[in-house]
Amino acid sequence: MNYEITLNCRSKECTQIGLLNTDLIVNMPLSIVIPEDSVCEMSVVSAEIPLSFYNISAALQNNLFQYYVNINPSLQSFTIPDGNYTVDTLMVVINSFSSLHFVMTYSDTYNKFFITLTPIISDFIILYDGDKYWQQIYGVFNNQLILYPSGYLNGVVNLASVHSLQVRTSLNTGSTISTSNPNSNVCQKIPLQTNCNGIIIHNFNNYIQKSYIKSGSIKTFSLQITEQNNKLIDLLGCVYEISFLFKIIKVESHITEEQKLSRKERLALKPTIPPPIEVQPIEPPIESTIEPAIEPVQEITLSDIANELLLI
């Protein structure tokens, strides 16, 4: 029999694992048992998540600015305080560092940052590293060298650091793959369709992703909300709601009882009977076709007998 169960999950009623409330353990009030002849179809049918996270933060690992200069071989590193920045507010923070070797400005025409070096600096270098997410904000997508007096960073500014929210659970069973993972645990990707301080809403108007669980029971599972780089989102303590729909679907079988019995008989172990020993028939002796030689019998006449008597 097919039936459905909807789980309305509130973040403040779940068990928080770490420092962020986007890393939870969900304990259901009852177990969902999946019969042997059925599968469970799971989907995220609705979500209401505040867009309260910052576009630059330690949680997103993009709150740094690092470079090298010719007068000091060591890496120069500055930490940007967590916040929701625009181009103007970000430039104000960077230019406020006292030991800075440059002044940063912005071009509206090119959507790029412009670096003006101080007189004692001849070389300004940024070494590209794809795992350093802060470089995506400033448009650094390869090694950057700026010679005195000034120059543009080579890429455009991208302060939209979070592209989408990804709901991840421990219940996913290989229904989703990605270009980096053949067995992704993402059960729903939610696009950002609102601005800061708004509510991210997911419902049936969006694409509903489905995952299938084949056996067992569901009582407890982990729940995470990350961005596209698998970094946990820091909602700054704001609560959110997610609704899961579990459908128990009976799998129709087209195999008859006779076919099942026949299959069981084929798979059953049977004693091995040795093959019968073949008895070779005894062949009769081969008869010779060569006839024995017969000497002719000499005929005796009366005269021969008389001659024999005279000799006696």
Side-chain angles (χ1 to χ4, degrees):
M1 180 181 67
N2 299 345
Y3 64 93
E4 301 179 359
I5 295 178
T6 301
L7 170 65
N8 295 318
C9 177
R10 306 179 67 191
S11 62
K12 67 179 182 179
E13 296 174 349
C14 299
T15 303
Q16 184 171 318
I17 297 177
L19 298 177
L20 304 179
N21 68 341
T22 51
D23 189 8
L24 304 174
I25 294 294
V26 180
N27 295 299
M28 300 177 60
L30 53 84
S31 296
I32 299 177
V33 180
I34 307 172
E36 293 184 358
D37 60 349
S38 304
V39 297
C40 179
E41 178 187 284
M42 182 195 71
S43 57
V44 178
V45 292
S46 69
E48 300 80 29
I49 305 172
L51 204 162
S52 57
F53 51 86
Y54 296 141
N55 61 349
I56 295 179
S57 67
L60 297 178
Q61 300 180 14
N62 63 355
N63 62 334
L64 298 175
F65 189 87
Q66 298 174 329
Y67 62 94
Y68 294 91
V69 291
N70 58 296
I71 63 172
N72 190 342
S74 61
L75 178 66
Q76 307 297 306
S77 180
F78 299 92
T79 300
I80 312 297
D82 291 6
N84 196 37
Y85 289 90
T86 64
V87 171
D88 295 329
T89 56
L90 181 58
M91 283 192 303
V92 170
V93 171
I94 291 179
N95 290 330
S96 67
F97 293 118
S98 58
S99 58
L100 206 63
H101 300 92
F102 61 89
V103 175
M104 178 181 288
T105 55
Y106 173 74
S107 169
D108 289 315
T109 304
Y110 300 112
N111 188 26
K112 292 183 178 182
F113 284 123
F114 189 74
I115 303 296
T116 302
L117 302 177
T118 58
I120 62 173
I121 303 301
S122 61
D123 300 335
F124 172 91
I125 300 171
I126 296 179
L127 298 179
Y128 173 74
D129 186 343
D131 292 330
K132 294 182 177 180
Y133 300 104
W134 66 266
Q135 296 184 353
Q136 301 174 14
I137 292 176
Y138 302 94
V140 177
F141 55 82
N142 54 31
N143 293 336
Q144 177 77 61
L145 171 63
I146 296 178
L147 301 176
Y148 183 84
S150 59
Y152 283 103
L153 294 179
N154 50 20
V156 298
V157 178
N158 178 19
L159 290 175
S161 52
V162 177
H163 302 165
S164 64
L165 299 184
Q166 300 188 355
V167 180
R168 302 171 182 267
T169 72
S170 57
L171 297 177
N172 201 13
T173 56
S175 301
T176 304
I177 63 174
S178 68
T179 51
S180 60
N181 191 346
N183 187 13
S184 174
N185 62 351
V186 177
C187 63
Q188 184 63 53
K189 181 180 177 182
I190 303 176
L192 303 185
Q193 298 177 340
T194 186
N195 296 322
C196 181
N197 299 322
I199 295 291
I200 303 169
I201 297 177
H202 168 72
N203 52 35
F204 281 103
N205 292 326
N206 300 330
Y207 170 74
I208 302 295
Q209 185 175 323
K210 298 177 181 179
S211 301
Y212 293 92
I213 306 167
K214 295 182 179 179
S215 61
S217 62
I218 303 171
K219 174 65 175 178
T220 302
F221 62 92
S222 63
L223 169 64
Q224 293 181 329
I225 300 179
T226 70
E227 42 85 85
Q228 67 278 358
N229 294 313
N230 199 15
K231 302 291 185 297
L232 286 170
I233 292 291
D234 186 359
L235 296 178
L236 304 175
C238 293
V239 298
Y240 58 92
E241 293 78 34
I242 297 180
S243 294
F244 295 89
L245 177 62
F246 298 92
K247 288 185 178 181
I248 303 299
I249 304 173
K250 184 176 181 180
V251 180
E252 296 294 336
S253 177
H254 300 286
I255 303 176
T256 64
E257 292 298 326
E258 293 181 358
Q259 291 173 328
K260 291 180 181 180
L261 181 59
S262 175
R263 183 174 182 273
K264 289 181 179 179
E265 291 176 350
R266 290 198 307 270
L267 296 178
L269 295 177
K270 296 181 179 181
T272 303
I273 301 176
I277 300 176
E278 296 184 0
V279 179
Q280 299 293 335
I282 300 176
E283 297 182 357
I286 300 175
E287 296 181 359
S288 176
T289 57
I290 301 175
E291 297 181 357
I294 301 175
E295 295 181 358
V297 178
Q298 186 177 2
E299 295 181 0
I300 301 175
T301 61
L302 293 176
S303 58
D304 292 331
I305 296 173
N307 291 332
E308 288 291 333
L309 294 175
L310 290 175
L311 292 173
I312 297 173

